[in-house]
Amino acid sequence: MDRTAIVSVLEEFNKPLQIREMKIPELKPGQILVKITAAGVCGSDVHMYEGRDPRLALPMCLGHEGVGQIVEMSGEKQTPLGEKINEGDMVIWNRGVLCGDCYYCTISRQPSLCVNRWAYGIHRSVKIPPHLNGCYADHLILHEKTDIFLLDDRDSAVYVPASCSGATAAHAFEYARPKLKTGDTVLIQGPGSLGIFLVAYAKASGAGRIIVTGGTQSRLDMCLEFGATDIINRHNHTPEETKEIVLSITHGFGVDVALEASGSLGAVTDGMPLVRTGGAYITAGFGEPAGSVEFPWFENIVRKNVNLQGVWVSDTRHVLEAVRTVQMNYENFAKIITHRFSLEESTEALESVASREAVKAVLIPPNKKFMSVKALTLPV
Ligand SMILES: [Zn+2]
Ligand SMILES: [Zn+2]
């Protein structure tokens, strides 16, 4: 009998996602069939839903953040740590699949910049074999070049953010770490999942003061639990007042490193003057084109000898760092999973993220198949 998967499909931008039943194909050599146990609803999924991400081709099964259990493997596979992967294992994986052959994979050794990189739930429509290419589904087929890590048997939903925001934050913090001495001051703009991971990395790196700015009080409060020492709600303070607070904390110098995790151009113009001379400004919150920004180049960058660093996605080592960080702070990370939805509630889940009501929303696919679904016809 044919095996089927339940998939939540974005067929039209800004229209409710549709639950479809799709045939699970025979695995090709190297492919791995995973039963998704939790899928993350990312802020960038909202932008994709709204048609703002140029990478997306419809119909699409969204979901680049997933955790699941291995159902079937076509061939043998090890984790990058050398552990054998078996059917039944709980796993997380690098959401990006890299070619291993291009200039960035082989020469410059910056694999997250691989020119052929593609991500589950972003670049491959459900029309492209093996069709199960996104995590808003009860099954996903992992490509043979996917890097996979084993998880423990704790609630898999808690690990979901490690695959995207946790990994991207680990990539961003890689640029911060060499700039920081124990006790230094870090500014993090944006208290979402990306910002929360940055707080955790800053804390683990020995930052003395960790200042978080943002507009959602509940998220700012959560940052305190991860080690933030100062939170500033931009609804209660003007940018000038925020600058005064930051300067008073830093003896008038400004922060050693500022990390943007908000995806807002306003954060960039507000944040750059808060960096001390000789410090660094690292921008990691943008997932798609966001327009232009104007700031005084000489005063903010040149005269202050500031490192300005962009951050694009992440690599396998960043996923591992994020997973380990969740394992070390499991109880706190469990609290950021504020909303759980069924696959049928995918559209509501996106809305909860769009409204910033959820810190982190996850989809929990059904264990049992439900019956009344319309089959999506796929080209052969
Ligand atoms: Zn994401
Ligand atoms: Zn490559």
Side-chain angles (χ1 to χ4, degrees), residues 2-291:
D2 279 349
R3 295 181 301 178
T4 55
I6 304 295
V7 183
S8 176
V9 185
L10 176 63
E11 298 180 352
E12 273 185 84
F13 294 122
N14 293 302
K15 294 277 164 58
L17 279 66
Q18 300 294 320
I19 296 293
R20 302 297 188 196
E21 190 168 7
M22 288 166 54
K23 190 173 166 237
I24 298 176
E26 289 290 312
L27 296 185
K28 297 246 163 56
Q31 289 181 338
I32 294 176
L33 177 66
V34 174
K35 162 97 182 70
I36 300 281
T37 55
V41 181
C42 185
S44 57
D45 291 346
V46 175
H47 301 157
M48 291 177 216
Y49 171 74
E50 292 168 346
R52 288 160 55 191
D53 190 317
R55 298 173 291 179
L56 215 69
L58 301 183
M60 172 67 69
C61 172
L62 293 173
H64 51 275
E65 309 175 354
V67 170
Q69 186 171 29
I70 295 189
V71 176
E72 189 186 324
M73 303 175 68
S74 174
E76 303 214 325
K77 178 101 178 166
Q78 289 193 342
T79 70
L81 300 171
E83 304 143 310
K84 187 171 187 303
I85 300 172
N86 295 299
E87 287 173 8
D89 285 343
M90 289 299 302
V91 290
I92 190 168
W93 49 90
N94 183 355
R95 68 194 188 284
V97 181
L98 316 173
C99 75
D101 301 319
C102 73
Y103 175 81
Y104 293 99
C105 285
T106 60
I107 307 296
S108 79
R109 300 289 177 123
Q110 295 166 290
S112 57
L113 305 180
C114 169
V115 294
N116 300 307
R117 180 184 182 275
W118 62 271
Y120 296 97
I122 299 178
H123 296 88
R124 297 205 164 175
S125 148
V126 295
K127 286 187 173 172
I128 297 177
H131 311 295
L132 301 175
N133 299 324
C135 300
Y136 285 21
D138 68 347
H139 287 84
L140 172 87
I141 293 178
L142 292 173
H143 184 275
E144 58 178 300
K145 286 189 173 172
T146 305
D147 289 325
I148 300 172
F149 293 106
L150 300 177
L151 294 177
D152 52 40
D153 56 5
R154 288 184 282 186
D155 179 5
S156 61
V158 178
Y159 288 104
V160 159
S163 66
C164 179
S165 48
T168 301
H171 184 190
F173 209 81
E174 240 173 34
Y175 302 107
R177 207 170 276 118
K179 304 286 292 180
L180 292 171
K181 295 183 300 299
T182 303
D184 272 358
T185 301
V186 174
L187 170 70
I188 293 157
Q189 299 177 285
S193 179
L194 186 66
I196 286 172
F197 270 96
L198 288 170
V199 172
Y201 297 135
K203 173 85 178 164
S205 298
R209 297 292 280 261
I210 303 169
I211 308 166
V212 184
T213 57
T216 310
Q217 192 60 41
S218 56
R219 292 179 170 197
L220 288 165
D221 291 339
M222 207 164 269
C223 288
L224 292 172
E225 304 203 29
F226 283 84
T229 54
D230 306 85
I231 52 174
I232 304 173
N233 189 326
R234 66 181 154 77
H235 297 306
N236 303 335
H237 297 281
T238 63
E240 291 71 34
E241 287 168 350
T242 299
K243 186 174 180 181
E244 271 174 41
I245 296 169
V246 169
L247 291 178
S248 72
I249 291 171
T250 56
H251 305 281
F253 285 105
V255 300
D256 300 287
V257 174
L259 296 121
E260 175 279 317
S262 70
S264 142
L265 292 176
V268 176
T269 45
D270 291 346
M272 232 175 270
L274 307 182
V275 177
R276 73 164 167 83
T277 295
Y281 189 84
I282 299 164
T283 173
F286 292 87
E288 70 278 306

Side-chain angles (χ1 to χ4, degrees), residues 231-343:
I231 52 174
I232 304 173
N233 189 326
R234 66 181 154 77
H235 297 306
N236 303 335
H237 297 281
T238 63
E240 291 71 34
E241 287 168 350
T242 299
K243 186 174 180 181
E244 271 174 41
I245 296 169
V246 169
L247 291 178
S248 72
I249 291 171
T250 56
H251 305 281
F253 285 105
V255 300
D256 300 287
V257 174
L259 296 121
E260 175 279 317
S262 70
S264 142
L265 292 176
V268 176
T269 45
D270 291 346
M272 232 175 270
L274 307 182
V275 177
R276 73 164 167 83
T277 295
Y281 189 84
I282 299 164
T283 173
F286 292 87
E288 70 278 306
S292 305
V293 64
E294 195 173 304
F295 57 85
W297 184 253
F298 179 78
E299 292 84 347
N300 279 2
I301 305 294
V302 181
R303 174 61 187 84
K304 285 168 65 179
N305 212 106
V306 160
N307 277 150
L308 178 58
Q309 178 69 51
V311 178
W312 180 242
V313 300
S314 57
D315 186 24
T316 299
R317 67 179 186 275
H318 306 126
V319 178
L320 179 62
E321 194 174 340
V323 167
R324 286 172 166 170
T325 299
V326 173
Q327 285 170 334
M328 288 157 60
N329 302 273
Y330 182 84
E331 299 305 323
N332 275 334
F333 276 101
K335 290 182 204 158
I336 81 170
I337 311 298
T338 51
H339 289 61
R340 292 174 193 243
F341 296 92
S342 68
L343 276 185

